[in-house]
């Protein structure tokens, strides 16, 4: 009986060893290419250096591979050099260098690549300015501001009466989502008092270019349940070169917040693409002054409780530089 069992074991062992050996021989070695340094989009300043980094590693036989850089629509331009460590160096970034670049590596049948975009730094004018408000003491309020397109992302800060303002709750984030390059900023003031009154300005800043853009001024008035309307600054006589831009002012304080309308030669101004109203009507902006814009202008503020009107001012279109006449 024992002999029989021994014989069976002798017969089974070689088969088991053969299967085990076969299983080892058909198990493939796991090998892949990985980006040990992932290239990132580059934002640079024209006529300044810029460097992009890229590195590839083969997990078997565990070694670094040489990479190759190329522009998506052709080779590298003069002044753009691939370094020994795989980085791509722009000695002086030019308009023609902007675009998409590919970093790739190959080892036999294995290949890996990554595409990045090179763009120039810029900051456009403020897209949306905070609006003037008149509120009752003890209320909360929000000032909102949206930067112009910016690369890299713009940072938003605030001024009050021309000085840096760090009070309130300041929040910022991407505006609109997706491919938008604007930053949205919010200033939240709670339980406002007379001390919060003043002129508020939103400042957008591009950290790479180290330049800033300021918004239009928003005036905050804090009062009781009712505050008489008063025109603090009305339009002034002005002579403007034809085809130039100009602005007429109508700064109004009072509560409830009034509606502001503009008149020319005693007729309400019609809607037209040649001028815009900003800051709740307190700014009348002429995009392009024409001879037919000559005349007397005044503003009128109405909050259903009272109505006030500014003194008329004369706008004179003329050839030459803009001058003030009073």
């Amino acid at each position: 009986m024992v002999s029989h069992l021994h014989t069976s074991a002798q017969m089974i062992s070689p088969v088991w060893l053969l299967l085990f050996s076969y299983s080892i021989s058909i198990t493939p070695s796991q090998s892949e290419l990985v980006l040990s340094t992932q290239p990132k989009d580059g934002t640079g300043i024209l006529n300044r250096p810029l460097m992009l980094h890229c590195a590839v590693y083969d997990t078997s036989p565990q070694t670094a591979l040489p990479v190759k850089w190329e522009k998506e629509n052709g080779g590298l331009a003069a002044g753009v050099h691939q370094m020994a460590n795989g980085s791509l160096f722009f000695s002086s970034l030019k308009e023609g260098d902007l675009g998409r670049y590919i970093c790739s590596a190959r080892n036999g049948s294995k290949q890996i690549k990554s595409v990045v975009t090179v763009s120039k730094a810029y900051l456009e004018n403020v897209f949306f300015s905070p609006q003037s408000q008149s509120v009752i003491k003890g209320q909360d309020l929000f000032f909102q501001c949206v930067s112009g397109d910016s690369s890299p992302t713009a940072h938003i800060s605030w001024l009050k009466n021309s000085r840096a303002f760090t009070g309130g709750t300041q929040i910022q984030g991407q505006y609109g989502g997706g491919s938008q390059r604007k930053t949205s900023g919010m200033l939240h003031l709670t339980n406002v008092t007379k001390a919060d009154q003043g002129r508020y300005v939103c400042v957008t800043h591009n950290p790479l270019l180290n330049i800033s853009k300021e918004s239009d001024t928003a005036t905050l008035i804090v009062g009781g349940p009712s505050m008489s309307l008063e025109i603090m600054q009305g339009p002034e006589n002005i002579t403007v070169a034809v085809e130039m831009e100009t602005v007429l002012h109508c700064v109004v304080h009072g509560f409830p917040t009034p509606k502001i309308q503009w008149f020319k030669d005693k007729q309400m101004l019609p809607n037209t693409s040649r001028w815009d109203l900003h800051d709740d009507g307190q700014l009348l902006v002429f995009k392009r002054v024409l001879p037919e814009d000559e005349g007397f202008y005044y503003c009128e503020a109405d909050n259903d409780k009272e109505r006030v009107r500014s003194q008329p001012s004369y706008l004179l279109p003329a050839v030459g530089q803009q001058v003030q006449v009073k």
Side-chain angles (χ1 to χ4, degrees):
M1 184 69 177
V2 173
S3 175
H4 175 70
L5 291 174
H6 177 70
T7 303
S8 299
Q10 286 180 325
M11 294 175 63
I12 295 171
S13 295
V15 175
W16 181 82
L17 290 173
L18 177 63
L19 292 174
F20 178 73
S21 175
Y22 179 71
S23 68
I24 294 176
S25 65
I26 65 173
T27 302
S29 60
Q30 298 299 318
S31 171
E32 62 177 343
L33 305 186
V34 295
L35 287 160
S36 53
T37 300
Q38 176 72 49
K40 299 179 180 179
D41 292 341
T43 302
I45 303 174
L46 291 180
N47 302 316
R48 300 276 187 87
L50 176 67
M51 184 87 78
L52 303 181
H53 301 283
C54 180
V56 174
Y57 183 79
D58 191 340
T59 59
S60 177
Q62 297 187 357
T63 183
L65 295 180
V67 301
K68 178 183 178 181
W69 281 97
E70 56 188 337
K71 198 173 183 185
E72 193 173 55
N73 59 354
L76 301 179
V80 183
H81 309 284
Q82 181 170 332
M83 313 298 287
N85 64 356
S87 297
L88 188 64
F89 178 63
F90 298 79
S91 57
S92 180
L93 187 66
K94 305 297 182 185
E95 286 279 357
D97 296 330
L98 306 180
R100 289 158 62 90
Y101 287 79
I102 303 168
C103 173
S104 63
R106 179 188 294 273
N107 189 7
S109 61
K110 297 177 293 185
Q111 183 178 10
I112 190 171
K113 66 179 181 179
S114 181
V115 181
V116 295
T117 301
V118 173
S119 59
K120 65 179 178 181
Y122 65 95
L123 175 64
E124 296 183 352
N125 291 331
V126 173
F127 177 72
F128 181 81
S129 294
Q131 305 296 298
S132 293
Q133 300 184 50
S134 296
V135 299
I136 298 174
K137 180 181 177 180
Q139 287 186 331
D140 295 355
L141 67 90
F142 292 89
F143 282 125
Q144 184 179 9
C145 175
V146 179
S147 76
D149 285 342
S150 176
S151 180
T153 303
H155 173 78
I156 290 180
S157 58
W158 295 85
L159 301 177
K160 178 187 176 185
N161 297 332
S162 301
R163 295 184 177 181
F165 180 72
T166 57
T169 302
Q170 302 185 23
I171 306 170
Q172 58 185 293
Q174 183 183 13
Y175 172 79
S179 60
Q180 290 275 2
R181 292 183 173 272
K182 298 178 175 66
T183 300
S184 176
M186 189 84 71
L187 173 60
H188 182 203
L189 301 179
T190 60
N191 193 25
V192 297
T193 66
K194 285 283 189 180
D196 294 312
Q197 288 190 146
R199 303 181 306 279
Y200 290 81
V201 172
C202 160
V203 181
T204 64
H205 181 74
N206 183 304
L208 182 58
L209 291 172
N210 195 27
I211 60 173
S212 300
K213 304 280 187 179
E214 293 189 0
S215 70
D216 295 335
T217 300
T219 302
L220 173 61
I221 303 299
V222 180
S226 180
M227 182 171 27
S228 296
L229 292 182
E230 181 180 3
I231 295 179
M232 308 301 294
Q233 179 186 356
E236 298 181 346
N237 296 329
I238 191 171
T239 299
V240 185
V242 171
E243 300 291 337
M244 296 295 290
E245 181 180 277
T246 195
V247 179
L248 297 180
H249 297 263
C250 182
V251 179
V252 182
H253 290 179
F255 193 84
T257 303
K259 177 181 178 181
I260 298 175
Q261 293 179 314
W262 285 86
F263 297 80
K264 177 194 174 188
D265 298 329
K266 299 183 179 181
Q267 300 295 319
M268 186 180 298
L269 279 180
N271 293 326
T272 174
S273 60
R274 288 201 307 105
W275 55 66
D276 288 323
L277 292 178
H278 294 283
D279 204 3
D280 294 331
Q282 296 187 91
L283 299 177
L284 174 60
V285 180
F286 290 82
K287 299 178 181 177
R288 187 167 61 95
V289 172
L290 298 178
E292 56 262 38
D293 293 324
E294 182 175 355
F296 284 98
Y297 291 80
Y298 64 86
C299 62
E300 191 172 273
D302 188 342
N303 64 3
D304 294 330
K305 290 187 175 182
E306 57 182 324
R307 178 184 300 171
V308 293
R309 178 184 297 177
S310 72
Q311 293 296 319
S313 65
Y314 197 77
L315 172 62
L316 176 62
V319 176
Q321 296 183 342
Q322 178 175 324
V323 295
Q324 290 280 114
V325 293
K326 296 183 179 180

